[in-house]
Amino acid sequence: MIILSLQGIFVFLCCIWVSECSNSNCNTIGNCEDCIKKISWISSSCRWCVLDRKCHAYGSVLNPCKHGQDIHKDQGTCPAETYGVYDSNEAYIQLLLSAVAYANPDDNDPKGISSCLNDLLGNEGFVLQDIIGEPCDDFLFDYGYCYAITAFSETKKMITVSYRGTSNTKQLLDEVLTTLFIPKKAADIGGHVQAYFYNANSRLYTCVLASLKDLLNRFPDFDVYINGHSLGGAIASITSARLVKENVVSSQRMALYTFGMPRVGNKEYAFQHDKLVNNSWRVVHYDDCITHLPACTLGSCTVVNGPYHHRTEVFYPKAMTKSSNYTICSANEDKRCSTGVIGPTSFTDCETHHTNYFGIPVGSHLER
């Protein structure tokens, strides 16, 4: 009887709470400035969450922002949101660079990679700088190296870092097992990231940083673009934020383009990444299921502080070409975009949408 009474009280209080929240009308406000002026249900202002760009009542379970991440009247003013502009032509170029990162150098001989750059991007003037490889075996299997490629283009006034994605089944199994059994690691920018992504980035970062600094000394006014597909996108995500955090590259000169990237870290990592890397584009090919992994904790990307994407998703339809229409998604986990289309799908569809972007089979494009 006592348990039933407690349950009844709990349900009653929840009903009051939900009713009060729904009557606050916070969710009808579409901008930060008006949101924090609006009074919520207990004489506290509504909360603006930068993760979903929505206004929420105080205490709402629909607010994905944790304490300290949302904005309210007593905290201060709304931040100026200045973001880059997505360029589909630039995305295509960055995808081709991501494809080059899958090429296997022979005895670390750069000639093959240089030929790939010329074949794919001859008109863009890219020149290979360094090929960086480090052993990537992390859990059970022995399968080789992770790679990064640095290059530059005087034509485009651009320095690039391209990370290779998952290259074989053993590596994929290692990523899965590490995610399942190894705790996440504290990210340098804040929050936590998956251990495999963190370790891969750490092994490559010292040499990537040295190569990048050499190029920045030669071309101090060039922009820096970091790119990668799949696992390569996750490593690129961590690198881009570290470079801005460590003042190696300013946020105004940094751009990130990823393709089929999994969830790199938790909500705090996403929050910090959004603040550091303004020109960030997470390109998703329809229901590419890798972009939904690791899965949100307990199936909810909103309530629990589990795996969470940083911004900005660019959502493409099934038939993805350079000229396809796309959606720029305002929320980090936006149901108008890939979060809203995930569901029962065949493995073939999942694999096809993950491995093919803009009609290019990214990991095997250079084998043709």
Side-chain angles (χ1 to χ4, degrees):
M1 291 295 294
I2 295 176
I3 293 176
L4 289 175
S5 297
L6 290 174
Q7 289 176 337
I9 293 171
F10 176 76
V11 171
F12 176 73
L13 291 174
C14 283
C15 289
I16 293 176
W17 177 79
V18 171
S19 176
E20 292 285 3
C21 286
S22 63
N23 288 334
S24 69
N25 293 323
C26 294
N27 60 1
T28 64
I29 302 172
N31 63 81
C32 178
E33 288 77 9
D34 291 337
C35 175
I36 64 174
K37 294 175 184 176
K38 177 74 175 177
I39 299 301
S40 184
W41 61 283
I42 57 168
S43 300
S44 180
S45 75
C46 299
R47 265 59 177 165
W48 179 260
C49 178
V50 295
L51 295 177
D52 66 356
R53 281 80 187 167
K54 291 181 180 179
C55 189
H56 300 273
Y58 174 76
S60 171
V61 295
L62 300 179
N63 184 355
C65 281
K66 301 191 305 173
H67 178 71
Q69 292 177 345
D70 53 15
I71 301 164
H72 53 88
K73 179 180 63 177
D74 299 329
Q75 184 192 44
T77 58
C78 296
E81 293 193 355
T82 54
Y83 297 104
V85 177
Y86 178 71
D87 183 337
S88 58
N89 291 321
E90 188 60 58
Y92 183 74
I93 291 171
Q94 297 303 314
L95 178 70
L96 292 177
L97 288 164
S98 298
V100 171
Y102 278 97
N104 287 315
D106 296 327
D107 298 323
N108 209 35
D109 181 2
K111 291 184 179 179
I113 304 295
S114 293
S115 297
C116 292
L117 278 173
N118 289 330
D119 291 344
L120 293 180
L121 293 156
N123 293 332
E124 305 298 338
F126 279 101
V127 178
L128 178 69
Q129 175 74 3
D130 288 306
I131 303 169
I132 300 160
E134 292 291 340
C136 220
D137 316 305
D138 212 51
F139 196 72
L140 290 178
F141 303 105
D142 181 12
Y143 49 80
Y145 283 63
C146 287
Y147 281 97
I149 294 171
T150 58
F152 65 93
S153 168
E154 294 188 70
T155 303
K156 293 177 66 65
K157 291 188 176 295
M158 178 185 295
I159 297 167
T160 63
V161 181
S162 306
Y163 286 99
R164 177 189 288 186
T166 304
S167 58
N168 56 65
T169 303
K170 287 183 177 180
Q171 185 177 20
L172 176 60
L173 288 173
D174 222 17
E175 293 174 42
V176 171
L177 292 171
T178 303
T179 299
L180 289 174
F181 298 109
I182 303 298
K184 291 188 286 291
K185 295 196 173 183
D188 298 86
I189 67 167
H192 288 76
V193 297
Q194 299 298 328
Y196 191 95
F197 307 153
Y198 179 93
N199 292 341
N201 176 267
S202 296
R203 288 165 182 158
L204 293 167
Y205 187 74
T206 300
C207 292
V208 166
L209 182 62
S211 179
L212 193 58
K213 284 184 174 179
D214 285 344
L215 286 169
L216 287 169
N217 285 334
R218 292 171 59 189
F219 309 111
D221 60 338
F222 280 21
D223 292 331
V224 176
Y225 279 64
I226 316 294
N227 61 70
H229 169 257
S230 193
L231 165 67
I235 305 172
S237 166
I238 298 171
T239 296
S240 64
R242 287 187 69 179
L243 290 172
V244 175
K245 176 75 172 179
E246 296 169 8
N247 295 315
V248 178
V249 182
S250 70
S251 61
Q252 292 77 18
R253 291 200 176 276
M254 171 61 70
L256 172 67
Y257 279 79
T258 69
F259 308 89
M261 184 186 80
R263 292 185 176 101
V264 181
N266 64 1
K267 197 173 290 183
E268 181 63 19
Y269 172 77
F271 177 73
Q272 297 298 336
H273 194 284
D274 288 349
K275 292 197 296 184
L276 290 167
V277 187
N278 298 325
N279 198 10
S280 172
W281 305 106
R282 182 169 53 81
V283 182
V284 178
H285 184 188
Y286 196 62
D287 59 355
D288 176 349
C289 54
I290 298 302
T291 65
H292 298 275
L293 300 174
C296 293
T297 306
L298 301 178
S300 173
C301 296
T302 301
V303 179
V304 185
N305 184 31
Y308 201 82
H309 272 306
H310 58 69
R311 68 171 305 168
T312 301
E313 180 182 350
V314 184
F315 178 62
Y316 277 86
K318 288 182 181 180
M320 181 184 187
T321 67
K322 285 174 62 178
S323 59
S324 296
N325 292 327
Y326 54 83
T327 301
I328 303 292
C329 313
S330 60
N332 290 41
E333 298 278 357
D334 198 324
K335 291 187 177 180
R336 298 179 306 130
C337 299
S338 61
T339 300
V341 301
I342 191 64
T345 184
S346 71
F347 177 77
T348 301
D349 287 342
C350 164
E351 182 182 29
T352 299
H353 293 149
H354 180 63
T355 56
N356 288 266
Y357 275 72
F358 297 117
I360 293 174
V362 190
S364 59
H365 188 53
L366 298 176
E367 297 174 5
R368 296 186 168 190

